[in-house]
Amino acid sequence: MTMKKEVDAATGKAAFERVKSSLMSLSPERLMQPNIDLQSAAMAALVLVDRANIPDRRALFSLLPESLFMKNTIEDLETMANAMMHVELESFRERAVSTDAKVDVAVVQQATEVRARMLKTADYNIGHLEMVAREIADIRLGAGYLDLANDCTRLAVLYASHRSELALDKRLYRASDAELAASLANKIRAEYRASATRSGPYAELRPRAFTELTRLYNDVRAAAQFIFRAEPAVLNEFPPLRSAVVMFGPARTSKKAAEAPATDGASQTPIVAASEEPPIPA
């Protein structure tokens, strides 16, 4: 009787280190975007490995020529499943510790100084105008990176609209402030966008691990379909990956729906949501 291998953090990390270089070498055009729960997919793969490793079955797998089925494919699938567990766990941690989008401190400081100077100049010279006073009061309420960018844009427009009045102020007014404010606003938005959409290293590895796990899973399943083609009961133990994931994935039915009794006394069959992603290749 074979001993079960534990699925733990150390196992996952060690497996990941073994496959990291091969994952990174995958060409972008080969990558598949995950459309199923990756932890459930990894567990489904490990179950498939256990089923393939039943001694009399494994003996049959070993009879296949290497030109059709590499002898280490089952072990490679187990390694990739453990590695994907590690990748998914680390990607969860990345998201958990990530902070809000960041903008370069120097840009923020400069934009804040320009905003303050332009507000002071506008308030002093044209703040007596009702519409300008309302605009200035609203701008002062801004907080955060995007508000700062919007404030700079609004002040640039305000300066352009009242250039002749503001230009009379030789002490506070700077003709270059309007263009500078608009430029800084664009920088803030660009840096905010880039920071907010930047993925962590493990998040970027998810499609790579998913691609390789799917390939290896399908290779083992294809071999099983040939070996056990005359044994339907055994073939049922080697289902497509998406079908296998349903067994391990989170329930899709809401608590309220799950608790609702069947009106006719019959058992109810869960219905797969129409919004589910398209099936992965079998």
Side-chain angles (χ1 to χ4, degrees):
M1 180 178 180
T2 59
M3 294 180 63
K4 293 291 183 181
K5 297 180 180 179
E6 292 186 4
V7 179
D8 55 23
T11 300
K13 184 176 182 179
F16 172 70
E17 292 300 329
R18 290 199 295 275
V19 303
K20 182 178 179 180
S21 61
S22 63
L23 291 180
M24 296 305 298
S25 67
L26 293 177
S27 57
E29 58 271 16
R30 286 186 54 197
L31 299 184
M32 301 167 57
Q33 291 303 317
N35 58 6
I36 54 178
D37 179 75
L38 295 193
Q39 287 189 325
S40 299
M43 185 57 65
L46 291 173
V47 169
L48 195 80
V49 166
D50 288 342
R51 290 170 176 171
N53 273 332
I54 292 175
D56 58 340
R57 295 178 182 177
R58 185 56 190 262
L60 295 175
F61 277 102
S62 66
L63 294 177
L64 295 173
E66 282 213 39
S67 59
L68 299 177
F69 186 74
M70 299 294 291
K71 65 179 181 180
N72 293 326
T73 301
I74 296 173
E75 286 79 12
D76 289 346
L77 175 59
E78 181 175 22
T79 299
M80 189 57 63
N82 284 317
M84 194 162 77
M85 286 276 201
H86 176 74
V87 168
E88 190 70 341
L89 175 62
E90 292 301 320
S91 68
F92 286 153
R93 288 177 175 168
E94 283 178 343
R95 293 194 292 271
V97 302
S98 64
T99 56
D100 293 336
K102 301 295 184 183
V103 178
D104 184 73
V105 174
V107 174
V108 173
Q109 183 175 350
Q110 186 179 16
T112 301
E113 291 173 355
V114 171
R115 174 184 180 275
R117 183 168 62 244
M118 294 177 76
L119 276 173
K120 183 177 181 180
T121 303
D123 192 20
Y124 180 77
N125 291 283
I126 54 177
H128 60 282
L129 302 173
E130 183 179 355
M131 295 302 295
V132 172
R134 291 180 181 177
E135 182 87 4
I136 291 174
D138 191 60
I139 289 174
R140 292 190 191 279
L141 298 176
Y145 297 131
L146 295 183
D147 275 351
L148 178 58
N150 292 335
D151 293 346
C152 286
T153 300
R154 293 169 69 180
L155 285 166
V157 172
L158 189 65
Y159 261 45
S161 300
H162 297 274
R163 183 179 295 109
S164 58
E165 300 104 298
L166 294 171
L168 296 174
D169 186 344
K170 305 302 181 182
R171 184 173 64 90
L172 297 175
Y173 177 72
R174 296 186 187 181
S176 60
D177 273 352
E179 184 177 349
L180 178 59
S183 175
L184 290 169
N186 290 336
K187 284 184 179 180
I188 291 171
R189 293 190 185 101
E191 290 188 15
Y192 185 94
R193 179 178 179 180
S195 175
T197 57
R198 191 176 297 123
S199 298
Y202 283 98
E204 294 175 357
L205 280 165
R206 294 177 76 248
R208 296 178 179 275
F210 178 62
T211 298
E212 278 299 274
L213 181 121
T214 302
R215 178 184 68 81
L216 291 165
Y217 186 102
N218 288 340
D219 282 352
V220 173
R221 181 171 180 263
Q225 286 179 308
F226 173 75
I227 295 170
F228 307 112
R229 59 193 181 280
E231 301 179 62
V234 177
L235 282 180
N236 287 338
E237 296 184 38
F238 294 84
L241 182 55
R242 177 173 279 280
S243 299
V245 165
V246 172
M247 299 167 52
F248 302 102
R252 293 181 179 273
T253 307
S254 67
K255 182 178 180 182
K256 182 177 180 180
E259 293 175 349
T263 55
D264 60 358
S267 60
Q268 294 176 307
T269 302
I271 299 176
V272 177
S275 61
E276 273 194 78
E277 301 89 349
I280 62 173

